[in-house]
Amino acid sequence: MAPRLEINGLSKFFPGVRALDDVSMNVEGGEIRALLGENGAGKSTLGKIVAGVYSRDQGTVLVDGAEIGTLDEKAAGDLGIGIVHQEGSLVPQLSVAENIFAGRQPTQWLGQVNVRAMRDQAKALIAQLGVAIDPALKVSGLSPAQAQIVEIAKALSRDLRILILDEPTAALTLTETEKLFDVVRRLAGNGVSVIYVSHRLAEIFSLCHSVTVLKDGRLAGTRRVAETSTDELIRLMVGRDVHFSRSAAGRKIGEIVLEAQDLDAPPLVRSASITVRAGEIVCLAGLIGSGRSEFCEAIFGARRRHGGSIRIGGKAIDPKGPWDGKHAGIGMVPEDRKAAGLFLGMDIVNNVAATVLSRVSSGANFSNRKAEALARNFVDELRIATPSVRQIVGNLSGGNQQKVLLAKWLAMEPRLLIVDEPTRGVDVGARSEIYRLLRALADKGVALLVVSSDLPEVLALADRIVVMAEGRTVGELPGDGASEEQVLRLATRYTASVAEVRKQPGMAEA
Amino acid sequence: MQITQPMAETAERRRENLFVRIVRRLADSRELTLFVLVVALALAMSIVYPNNFPTASNMRAVLLNLAPVGILVCGMMLLMIGGTFDLSVGSTLAFSGVWAAVVAGWWGWPAEIAVLVGILVGALCGLVNGLIVTRIGINALIATLGTLTIYRSLTYVTAGTGVTPITDAFAAYGRAADPLFRIQSPFWAMLVLVLVGGWLVARTRFFRQFYFIGGNPRAAQLSGIRVDRLILIGFVIMGALAGLAGVLGAARLNSAVVNAGVGIELKVITATVLGGASLKGGEGTILGGILGVLFIALIENAMIINAIGVFWQGLVVGLVLLFAVSLDRFKTSGRA
């Protein structure tokens, strides 16, 4: 008999990136298959192609032996393929029942929605999952776990054959996760094939039958869960050929600049500590959702902090907002360049001047001359490719935008510079140049705290690597000689121990 | 023939380019576009109505009538540059005017104190707007729609049918005219505000922060700009300006009318957008705003002289607004 889902030679290209490269896999009916991989390995992309969210560029997809042509989300739904997105796809203002039957509500005369029938059907669907949620409730009043279950019920409202779950437990507590797992097991027991996208190893071992590992968009291997180990899976996830060279020259590392202790900024930062010295590059590694960016925001003052202490150059600070962090000499290059970093509609001069308005002024007057001179300096120093300093930043390439963003923070001459994902959406050429810039900064004695999800980047840049998991700093490695495997082990070990806690009955929720 | 043909084509293309360049140039600077339009309109009217338009008394009337909108535009432009706006300005204006009149007319306090009270009441209204928007986090449209109703209601509660007459000393604040042009004080107040405000917003580092806030509020916040505090200050300035406009209006008529400024907010926002502000924020100048006011005033004046009547006014102003905003599509600096 043909497998439920058969994927052959699947490839997907995004501009400048090969997200999936010749991936093949088979999934049987009733099987729970994990898709495992590092951040950016292509696991979500694969799930979204099967669900018709993205189109494929090459390869074939067969469902129960029948080849399927071009697929959109609706066609996939008609085929019995459902997806529960990471972000969620429910309308919070509408009821559970309306969400489940979005666009397909049962009607009575004159096209009126038959509310009673809709609610009854919704209730029956949810009951199939072994849970009770009132279908008349608004989705905005549900817990994240209940919302996930409603999403699954929505997929179930059609004749479901394949269910794709994309990082479903990211926002769930321990008992909620267990409840979700029960639902998934029950579905698989009824013959539904489940593709479970996750990077949490522990969950895979407690839930899945088999696991397919992706690495840089390629198939790294498929194993039966019963016959594999954490070590083997980590080995499959890492070990790439792309390596950026470390700088050979030893740097002079000075006094402690940042000392943050037991920072608590719920829900994402629970207890995080770090020190960064002058002239040192410390990389903050960890899985997505481990609280790295949030930890940095708390240090900078962009996120409310409930506990813990921050010292800059030995002096305690209590930043109430980014202006306080800036005043203490901290700069922060945010992860989302377009939404949080740049003024895309303004020119380079104004973008660079944004953090140093007082320095480019004479008295109360903003001085265009001074601001232009400052911008021109940075355009030369950082080799920003632009026809003029009056160029609108939105018209520059990603790499050059990233350099303008760096310039904006270099202009204030920070003692500590936090850089969140320094090379996201930047091509390889600009990448090594940004590494060069960051190293040059450290050489000048700036303390650098770099958040990165890109392990080769971490290994190339870091003097020291601090690893976060579940909102806590869980380990530290020297940058020299560290391997991707060691970093991943630290980042996942903690989730593994959480899973052990989950198995103990009567354990209170964290 | 074979040689001249391409040359003729090139010349034609150059002429086209010149035309396109002029359009682009005009579209690039809203101030320039408006300035050209205002001058053209004034010239046309001087030619068509030589006996009615370019007379001293008509000019005086036009300039005096545009004063309240002109004063309000200064504040509205600042708010819109910062990506927000205030719909309650008309009610604030009436409320402040009535309070100044109560203090001077009913309580018999000195006119100076009354003027000050009026402006402070306006600033207080602005402060409340700003606190609602920044502290409670209610969207400016809803927040100031609410206070528009509240302030107007408070005006009725304070002075029922208004305060008439106030006092001569108080009235002098709105009636004093310069000896040369004999234009009364509201216009001169507006002129000073436009000049000082124009300089402040265009040149000073403090007010420049509003452009960053409007350009990208999150990036501004993360750049260490105190977004909420500045927006709050913007609302207070807007309120104080509405207070001043209310005081001057009441003084000029020697009467505080409870219906003063009804609907003025839409006129002010029209002039501000016409002057180059965008609802998204980050753009605009006070100069542009005042040119927008001037343009609308001229169109109104043309309608009055022409005896077309006020019914057509809205049509013309609306069309011009839509035309000016659609000119943005030709901007060279914007992305396609």
Side-chain angles (χ1 to χ4, degrees):
Chain A
M1 206 179 101
R4 172 60 52 79
L5 174 70
E6 186 178 344
I7 295 170
N8 292 314
L10 197 70
S11 293
K12 173 76 188 172
F13 307 98
F14 288 119
V17 192
R18 185 181 281 244
L20 283 177
D21 188 3
D22 193 24
V23 173
S24 304
M25 65 187 244
N26 293 342
V27 184
E28 302 293 335
E31 181 180 354
I32 305 177
R33 167 70 58 90
L35 263 185
L36 179 67
E38 267 191 279
N39 305 331
K43 48 193 196 302
S44 288
T45 310
L46 181 56
K48 283 182 176 164
I49 289 176
V50 174
V53 180
Y54 294 153
S55 62
R56 59 183 185 273
D57 292 323
Q58 282 164 17
T60 56
V61 177
L62 287 80
V63 175
D64 285 329
E67 183 164 351
I68 52 178
T70 47
L71 202 60
D72 58 18
E73 280 173 284
K74 188 175 176 327
D78 293 340
L79 277 167
I81 305 172
I83 183 166
V84 175
H85 290 284
Q86 233 163 330
E87 313 82 53
S89 66
L90 301 177
V91 184
Q93 295 89 342
L94 296 181
S95 74
V96 168
E98 281 168 305
N99 267 291
I100 290 177
F101 292 101
R104 298 174 290 119
Q105 296 97 330
T107 52
Q108 47 196 8
W109 57 283
L110 289 178
Q112 267 192 96
V113 173
N114 186 341
V115 177
R116 185 183 300 258
M118 184 172 73
R119 287 195 181 151
D120 288 347
Q121 289 175 30
K123 195 173 224 160
L125 281 171
I126 296 169
Q128 273 186 46
L129 299 173
V131 200
I133 299 172
D134 181 357
L137 278 180
K138 277 190 180 181
V139 165
S140 56
L142 301 181
S143 73
Q146 288 175 315
Q148 294 274 13
I149 285 165
V150 172
E151 295 241 29
I152 295 174
K154 184 177 169 182
L156 209 57
S157 68
R158 306 169 154 211
D159 186 20
L160 188 66
R161 290 197 277 180
I162 301 169
L163 176 66
I164 299 154
L165 295 167
D166 193 355
E167 307 273 4
T169 56
L172 303 191
T173 63
L174 300 184
T175 41
E176 286 173 337
T177 302
E178 269 313 315
K179 206 169 275 173
L180 180 77
F181 284 3
D182 285 342
V183 167
V184 173
R185 286 189 194 109
R186 187 186 286 246
L187 280 175
N190 293 338
V192 176
S193 300
V194 179
I195 295 179
Y196 188 83
V197 179
S198 180
H199 53 222
R200 298 189 174 183
L201 287 172
E203 292 182 359
I204 290 168
F205 280 100
S206 76
L207 177 70
C208 302
H209 303 126
S210 56
V211 48
T212 293
V213 184
L214 295 178
K215 180 178 72 189
D216 294 333
R218 283 185 212 165
L219 188 68
T222 298
R223 299 284 184 275
R224 303 218 50 88
V225 165
E227 295 159 8
T228 189
S229 64
T230 312
D231 281 348
E232 188 187 19
L233 291 181
I234 288 181
R235 257 202 311 281
L236 286 171
M237 284 162 75
V238 300
R240 267 174 288 202
D241 337 320
V242 193
H243 274 289
F244 292 94
S245 61
R246 291 181 62 80
S247 81
R251 207 178 288 121
K252 201 177 142 272
I253 290 178
E255 297 284 293
I256 292 180
V257 173
L258 168 72
E259 197 176 3
Q261 236 160 25
D262 301 324
L263 248 56
D264 176 36
L268 284 159
V269 182
R270 276 136 185 193
S271 170
S273 308
I274 201 165
T275 53
V276 186
R277 292 166 179 274
E280 187 183 32
I281 303 180
V282 176
C283 283
L284 199 51
L287 302 170
I288 287 174
S290 58
R292 295 165 303 172
S293 303
E294 292 76 13
F295 179 33
C296 291
E297 282 170 12
I299 294 171
F300 184 52
R303 178 171 292 267
R304 193 164 300 177
R305 184 166 53 95
H306 286 222
S309 67
I310 305 169
R311 287 171 178 278
I312 292 288
K315 217 176 111 215
I317 62 165
D318 179 22
K320 298 262 187 279
W323 42 88
D324 288 334
K326 194 172 100 173
H327 189 71
I330 308 174
M332 191 180 81
V333 177
E335 176 181 4
D336 191 338
R337 170 166 78 226
K338 295 189 175 178
L342 292 169
F343 304 92
L344 289 175
M346 297 172 117
D347 58 21
I348 297 177
V349 175
N350 276 296
N351 270 280
V352 172
T355 55
V356 284
L357 286 173
S358 51
R359 260 190 47 213
V360 295
S361 302
S362 340
N365 269 354
F366 180 83
S367 160
N368 269 315
R369 197 176 42 77
K370 282 189 185 175
E372 273 184 25
L374 184 74
R376 209 164 285 129
N377 266 347
F378 279 113
V379 166
D380 292 342
E381 197 183 321
L382 308 191
R383 297 188 211 149
I384 300 171
T386 174
S388 97
V389 289
R390 286 294 176 187
Q391 176 72 12
I392 301 294
V393 168
N395 296 340
L396 297 174
S397 73
N400 283 305
Q401 286 186 0
Q402 189 68 19
K403 288 185 193 171
V404 173
L405 186 54
L406 269 173
K408 178 180 142 185
W409 282 107
L410 296 186
M412 63 155 285
E413 295 169 2
R415 299 176 71 181
L416 168 71
L417 184 65
I418 300 169
V419 190
D420 198 350
E421 301 290 353
T423 57
R424 173 151 302 172
V426 164
D427 62 67
V428 180
R431 228 168 213 252
S432 47
E433 210 164 336
I434 285 171
Y435 295 158
R436 181 183 61 79
L437 285 171
L438 294 178
R439 287 195 191 107
L441 269 178
D443 289 341
K444 278 190 214 155
V446 177
L448 279 162
L449 177 55
V450 176
V451 177
S452 177
S453 296
D454 187 336
L455 283 178
E457 176 168 295
V458 169
L459 296 181
L461 274 177
D463 294 318
R464 203 146 50 80
I465 302 166
V466 174
V467 182
M468 276 187 85
E470 315 260 320
R472 294 172 169 86
T473 41
V474 293
E476 208 178 297
L477 294 165
D480 208 13
S483 70
E484 294 188 27
E485 226 169 305
Q486 287 175 303
V487 177
L488 264 184
R489 208 178 296 261
L490 273 175
T492 52
R493 189 173 63 189
Y494 192 76
T495 48
S497 64
V498 168
E500 279 150 26
V501 171
R502 279 173 191 173
K503 281 178 193 136
Q504 297 172 11
M507 178 72 199
E509 278 179 36
Chain B
M1 190 65 194
Q2 272 175 328
I3 298 165
T4 53
Q5 183 87 18
M7 280 182 71
E9 260 180 29
T10 321
E12 197 172 314
R13 196 178 301 145
R14 198 175 293 144
R15 220 174 304 135
E16 267 180 23
N17 280 351
L18 186 68
F19 176 72
V20 170
R21 272 213 303 277
I22 291 172
V23 171
R24 286 246 156 95
R25 193 65 196 275
L26 279 177
D28 264 358
S29 160
R30 179 63 66 75
E31 291 80 8
L32 199 62
T33 320
L34 269 178
F35 183 73
V36 170
L37 282 174
V38 166
V39 170
L41 193 59
L43 280 177
M45 285 168 70
S46 307
I47 294 164
V48 181
Y49 311 108
N51 301 324
N52 298 321
F53 178 73
T55 64
S57 65
N58 186 52
M59 286 289 122
R60 265 202 292 278
V62 169
L63 293 178
L64 194 58
N65 284 333
L66 64 76
V69 179
I71 291 173
L72 294 177
V73 155
C74 296
M76 196 65 84
M77 185 54 95
L78 182 66
L79 285 180
M80 289 190 74
I81 289 169
T84 185
F85 54 86
D86 182 353
L87 289 179
S88 74
V89 289
S91 303
T92 304
L93 180 150
F95 191 46
S96 317
V98 160
W99 265 102
V102 166
V103 168
W106 290 359
W107 300 355
W109 291 17
E112 293 73 27
I113 304 273
V115 170
L116 223 61
V117 166
I119 295 172
L120 279 176
V121 167
L124 202 66
C125 291
L127 181 71
V128 171
N129 287 337
L131 287 174
I132 295 173
V133 170
T134 61
R135 295 287 186 279
I136 307 181
I138 296 178
N139 166 288
L141 173 81
I142 311 289
T144 59
L145 196 59
T147 54
L148 172 142
T149 322
I150 293 170
Y151 298 157
R152 182 67 64 184
S153 170
L154 288 176
T155 310
Y156 295 137
V157 170
T158 309
T161 53
V163 182
T164 317
I166 308 171
T167 63
D168 289 344
F170 182 75
Y173 273 92
R175 292 175 172 175
D178 67 293
L180 184 59
F181 300 104
R182 290 187 288 122
I183 308 178
Q184 290 174 328
S185 57
F187 170 76
W188 296 109
M190 181 207 80
L191 192 66
V192 169
L193 280 169
V194 166
L195 292 177
V196 173
W199 170 74
L200 284 173
V201 171
R203 303 285 307 147
T204 63
R205 137 173 74 110
F206 181 80
F207 285 101
R208 190 154 196 94
Q209 298 180 101
F210 282 87
Y211 286 94
F212 290 104
I213 295 172
N216 184 346
R218 188 152 161 65
Q221 173 90 10
L222 288 177
S223 301
I225 291 172
R226 296 183 177 229
V227 174
D228 280 355
R229 181 182 289 188
L230 282 159
I231 292 295
L232 183 65
I233 291 172
F235 273 106
V236 172
I237 292 174
M238 176 82 262
L241 290 175
L244 177 71
V247 167
L248 291 175
R252 192 163 75 86
L253 299 172
N254 197 17
S255 164
V257 188
V258 284
N259 279 328
V262 170
I264 201 171
E265 61 281 343
L266 294 183
K267 221 168 167 181
V268 173
I269 290 174
T270 306
T272 313
V273 172
L274 191 57
S278 117
L279 276 182
K280 282 180 297 178
E283 315 181 89
T285 60
I286 301 261
L287 176 68
I290 205 64
L291 284 167
V293 174
L294 210 58
F295 185 78
I296 293 174
L298 284 182
I299 288 183
E300 284 180 3
N301 192 236
M303 297 291 173
I304 291 164
I305 293 173
N306 216 346
I308 292 177
V310 282
F311 296 158
W312 289 95
Q313 243 176 53
L315 179 86
V316 177
V317 171
L319 285 176
V320 170
L321 177 73
L322 295 178
F323 172 72
V325 173
S326 54
L327 263 185
D328 280 355
R329 301 257 153 208
F330 291 99
K331 271 195 173 182
T332 44
S333 54
R335 281 173 299 166

